């Protein structure tokens, strides 16, 4: 399912803005609202919305539950308005003025909600393709889950189900044994498994296929025993579904925080480092070797989307640039390039990739397209690392798995660290990785060549 990570934070910002603009424009000059009054109404809004979980993320919320939530919100906030007689004193506002401000504010919020819903539908229709979904197994919960698939807000396209019975259904795709080939060969985004209809071995086989063919797998559980380090439960109505690849970065606030950090950090690097470093490297390159200032290479990013990754050129230009990684004592590396690579300065132009949204400051290192095609079939769970943006540095790099891949264990351990980072992400972990990256640069790294 395609997700928007900014809807709820945007709603909160707009609601707070509408509240304060309403107070500003509808409050006569003779009334002394002051800092205390503005603080009171903003704090009341935040407390009430938090108490009723108005901004809580939920995919299963219905029109009725939205209506009830809005009714609760406006009722409680109306009480907060008139409670201002107690906290701010009866002489600050007249009852008529409070009613007018409250009514105007409610109308503004409703108008925004209607516009936001319309704008979101237009954006999704143009920007997102529907995520194709198949279900493996059939039981009574499938009908309840189907209501989620049919909800246009979730942008799903339900293809059908596999089961050893119920072959007369119009959405029946075949027996369970036929699902493995179908999922692997077709453009399916997510696979839902009815655990009560599958054995433990069948579930493990589906997990293996999904992880190695870039599909998301979710399980509607029963009492079978299967575990995952990042497993989390999502409720579709009253039906629990296990997400086996859950990540903190699936939360809206987490993506917003990480993106803000990326923009601020990258902007500081561009302004205070690259602004003088680029012309300096350009001049030094002219004395050292022929060629362009930047080396641009197609690499795979989030969801395997291709983007141009920027680096300072550190090698002579050859036909092997897009097929062969740098090796120890590589003859292609220039004298200046050797310094740039040992100090990791050659990677700094990737902060432009971060500003453009193709990369993050911290994340799995992006690989050449040729290597992605090679490892996705030979390294277990390799494609899982493409569920998040690639980074300039990452957990695997600070743990010693950077640069040339000599043995298969190098790429296997790199993938393990990348998946661990995806599942355990936090802003403090990002800060720790950045610190270790800088520390390793000054300490010197064996694979920095």
């Amino acid at each position: 399912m395609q997700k928007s990570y900014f809807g709820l934070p945007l709603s909160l910002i707009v609601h707070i803005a509408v509240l304060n603009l309403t107070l500003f424009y509808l409050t006569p000059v003779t009334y002394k609202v002051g800092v205390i009054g503005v603080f009171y109404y903003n704090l009341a809004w935040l407390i009430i919305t938090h108490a009723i979980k108005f901004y809580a993320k939920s995919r299963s919320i219905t029109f009725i539950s939205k209506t009830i939530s809005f009714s609760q919100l406006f009722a409680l906030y109306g009480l907060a308005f008139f409670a201002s007689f107690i906290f701010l004193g009866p002489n600050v506002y007249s009852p008529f003025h409070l009613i007018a401000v409250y009514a105007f504010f409610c109308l503004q919020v409703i108008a925004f909600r209607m516009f936001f819903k319309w704008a979101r539908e237009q954006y999704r229709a143009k920007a997102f393709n529907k995520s194709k979904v198949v279900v493996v197994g059939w039981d009574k919960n499938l009908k309840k889950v189907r209501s989620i698939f049919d909800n246009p807000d979730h942008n799903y396209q339900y293809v059908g189900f596999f089961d050893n019975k119920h072959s007369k259904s119009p959405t029946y795709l075949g027996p369970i044994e036929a699902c493995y080939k179908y999922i692997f060969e077709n453009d399916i985004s997510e696979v839902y498994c009815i655990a009560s209809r599958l054995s433990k071995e069948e579930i493990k086989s589906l997990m293996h296929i999904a992880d190695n063919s870039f599909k998301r797998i979710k399980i509607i559980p029963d009492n079978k025993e299967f575990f995952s380090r990042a497993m989390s439960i999502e409720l579709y109505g009253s039906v629990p579904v296990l997400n086996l690849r859950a990540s903190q970065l699936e939360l809206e606030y987490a993506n917003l925080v990480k993106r803000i950090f990326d923009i601020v950090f990258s902007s500081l690097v561009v302004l205070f480092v690259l602004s003088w470093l680029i012309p300096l490297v350009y001049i030094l390159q002219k004395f050292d070797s022929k060629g362009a200032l930047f080396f641009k290479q197609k690499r795979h990013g989030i969801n395997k989307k291709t983007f141009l990754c920027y680096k300072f050129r550190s090698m002579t230009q050859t036909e092997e640039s897009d097929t062969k990684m740098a090796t120890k004592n590589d003859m292609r590396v220039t004298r200046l390039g050797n310094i740039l690579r040992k100090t990791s300065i050659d990677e700094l132009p990737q902060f432009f990739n971060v500003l453009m949204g193709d990369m993050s400051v911290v994340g799995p290192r992006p690989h050449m397209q040729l290597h992605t095609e090679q490892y996705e079939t030979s390294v277990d769970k390799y494609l899982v690392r493409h569920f998040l943006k690639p980074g300039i540095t990452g957990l695997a790099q600070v743990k010693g798995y950077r640069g040339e891949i000599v043995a298969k264990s190098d790429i296997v351990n790199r993938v393990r660290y990348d998946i661990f980072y995806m599942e355990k992400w936090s802003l403090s972990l990002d800060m720790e990785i950045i610190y270790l990256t800088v520390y390793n640069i000054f300490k010197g790294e064996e694979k920095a060549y």
Side-chain angles (χ1 to χ4, degrees):
M1 183 179 70
Q2 304 287 356
K3 300 177 184 178
S4 170
Y5 295 104
F6 303 104
L8 294 181
L10 177 63
S11 296
L12 174 60
I13 292 170
V14 172
H15 291 160
I16 292 294
V18 168
L19 169 61
N20 287 280
L21 288 173
T22 302
L23 290 171
F24 178 79
Y25 283 110
L26 293 187
T27 301
V29 179
T30 54
Y31 291 122
K32 298 179 181 179
V33 181
V35 176
I36 296 178
V38 173
F39 177 79
Y40 167 81
Y41 289 118
N42 281 270
L43 182 62
W45 177 265
L46 294 174
I47 291 174
I48 292 169
T49 53
H50 176 73
I52 66 173
K53 295 181 173 58
F54 185 73
Y55 293 111
K57 179 183 177 184
S58 174
R59 297 196 209 171
S60 60
I61 189 168
T62 63
F63 175 79
I64 295 176
S65 60
K66 286 181 180 178
T67 304
I68 294 173
S69 182
F70 258 98
S71 300
Q72 288 178 325
L73 177 67
F74 288 147
L76 292 172
Y77 200 55
L79 292 175
F81 255 90
F82 290 98
S84 64
F85 274 94
I86 300 173
F87 293 100
L88 302 179
N91 297 322
V92 176
Y93 302 109
S94 68
F96 176 80
H97 175 71
L98 287 174
I99 293 172
V101 172
Y102 173 70
F104 186 76
F105 171 69
C106 292
L107 289 173
Q108 292 293 309
V109 172
I110 293 172
F112 166 73
R113 291 288 298 182
M114 294 174 64
F115 172 79
F116 181 80
K117 184 176 184 298
W118 173 83
R120 184 179 61 182
E121 291 173 351
Q122 297 298 312
Y123 174 73
R124 284 180 172 175
K126 294 180 180 179
F128 293 144
N129 296 320
K130 289 184 177 293
S131 297
K132 293 184 178 180
V133 177
V134 296
V135 177
V136 181
W138 187 99
D139 70 3
K140 61 182 180 181
N141 287 327
L142 179 57
K143 292 183 178 179
K144 297 178 182 179
V145 177
R146 276 291 307 274
S147 65
I148 304 299
F149 298 154
D150 295 335
N151 189 329
D153 286 343
H154 299 149
N155 214 39
Y156 277 129
Q157 179 184 341
Y158 175 67
V159 178
F161 72 95
F162 294 88
D163 194 69
N164 295 332
K165 298 180 180 178
H166 307 284
S167 59
K168 295 181 180 180
S169 172
T171 57
Y172 179 74
L173 297 176
I176 291 175
E177 64 181 12
C179 74
Y180 306 109
K181 182 178 180 181
Y182 185 92
I183 292 168
F184 188 83
E185 295 181 350
N186 288 273
D187 185 25
I188 302 299
S189 301
E190 296 188 19
V191 181
Y192 285 77
C193 304
I194 307 293
S196 61
R197 303 291 297 169
L198 302 172
S199 67
K200 188 190 301 184
E201 288 69 30
E202 287 173 326
I203 292 175
K204 287 183 177 179
S205 296
L206 283 167
M207 290 170 61
H208 177 79
I209 290 173
D211 280 343
N212 289 285
S213 59
F214 201 52
K215 321 288 185 184
R216 291 187 181 274
I217 184 168
K218 298 181 181 180
I219 298 177
I220 303 173
D222 65 350
N223 60 350
K224 290 183 172 62
E225 294 181 358
F226 46 89
F227 304 96
S228 171
R229 182 177 58 222
M231 188 167 59
S232 69
I233 297 178
E234 300 173 1
L235 289 179
Y236 284 6
S238 59
V239 182
V241 177
L242 294 183
N243 183 351
L244 297 181
R245 289 293 172 212
S247 169
Q248 287 293 320
L249 289 171
E250 291 185 359
L251 302 175
E252 295 192 14
Y253 81 88
N255 269 275
L256 181 62
V257 168
K258 188 170 176 63
R259 183 59 184 150
I260 290 173
F261 174 79
D262 283 344
I263 292 173
V264 172
F265 192 90
S266 299
S267 299
L268 293 174
V269 173
V270 170
L271 183 61
F272 294 107
V273 179
L274 288 176
S275 59
W276 59 264
L277 185 62
I278 288 176
L280 177 61
V281 172
Y282 177 79
I283 294 171
L284 293 175
Q285 275 191 354
K286 290 302 179 183
F287 290 100
D288 184 59
S289 62
K290 294 181 179 180
L293 171 63
F294 295 114
F295 172 68
K296 295 177 287 185
Q297 188 177 66
K298 290 183 178 180
R299 299 199 177 187
H300 280 137
I302 187 171
N303 296 327
K304 280 187 70 178
K305 290 182 179 178
T306 302
F307 71 98
L308 279 177
C309 182
Y310 292 91
K311 300 175 71 173
F312 283 126
R313 182 178 59 84
S314 59
M315 297 182 178
T316 55
Q317 294 177 329
T318 66
E319 295 180 356
E320 297 178 318
S321 299
D322 293 324
T323 58
K324 184 179 178 182
M325 295 182 69
T327 58
K328 195 170 185 178
N329 301 318
D330 198 317
M331 297 300 294
R332 296 174 298 167
V333 179
T334 65
R335 289 173 297 175
L336 175 62
N338 187 51
I339 298 172
L340 296 178
R341 297 179 75 89
K342 281 187 177 296
T343 57
S344 297
I345 291 176
D346 63 318
E347 308 284 358
L348 291 181
Q350 288 165 36
F351 282 103
F352 290 116
N353 287 115
V354 176
L355 289 175
M356 290 186 290
D358 296 323
M359 295 179 64
S360 182
V361 175
V362 181
R365 285 295 296 157
H367 290 163
M368 290 186 287
Q369 291 178 311
L370 181 69
H371 289 160
T372 298
E373 293 167 2
Q374 174 187 346
Y375 296 137
E376 68 182 359
T377 56
S378 62
V379 179
D380 191 36
K381 297 179 175 61
Y382 175 82
L383 288 175
V384 176
R385 66 199 301 275
H386 291 85
F387 282 137
L388 68 163
K389 286 183 182 179
I392 297 176
T393 185
L395 183 61
Q397 282 63 47
V398 299
K399 294 296 183 180
Y401 295 99
R402 62 165 288 176
E404 183 184 10
I405 297 171
V406 179
K408 186 175 181 179
S409 59
D410 293 334
I411 185 63
V412 170
N413 287 322
R414 185 179 295 186
V415 169
R416 287 175 179 172
Y417 276 116
D418 289 339
I419 294 176
F420 180 87
Y421 170 79
M422 181 187 76
E423 295 172 344
K424 301 298 182 181
W425 174 86
S426 67
L427 190 58
S428 61
L429 179 58
D430 275 3
M431 298 299 291
E432 181 182 354
I433 292 172
I434 292 171
Y435 166 77
L436 290 174
T437 300
V438 176
Y439 174 79
N440 288 341
I441 290 173
F442 286 101
K443 185 185 72 172
E445 294 184 88
E446 183 181 349
K447 285 193 171 184
Y449 50 80

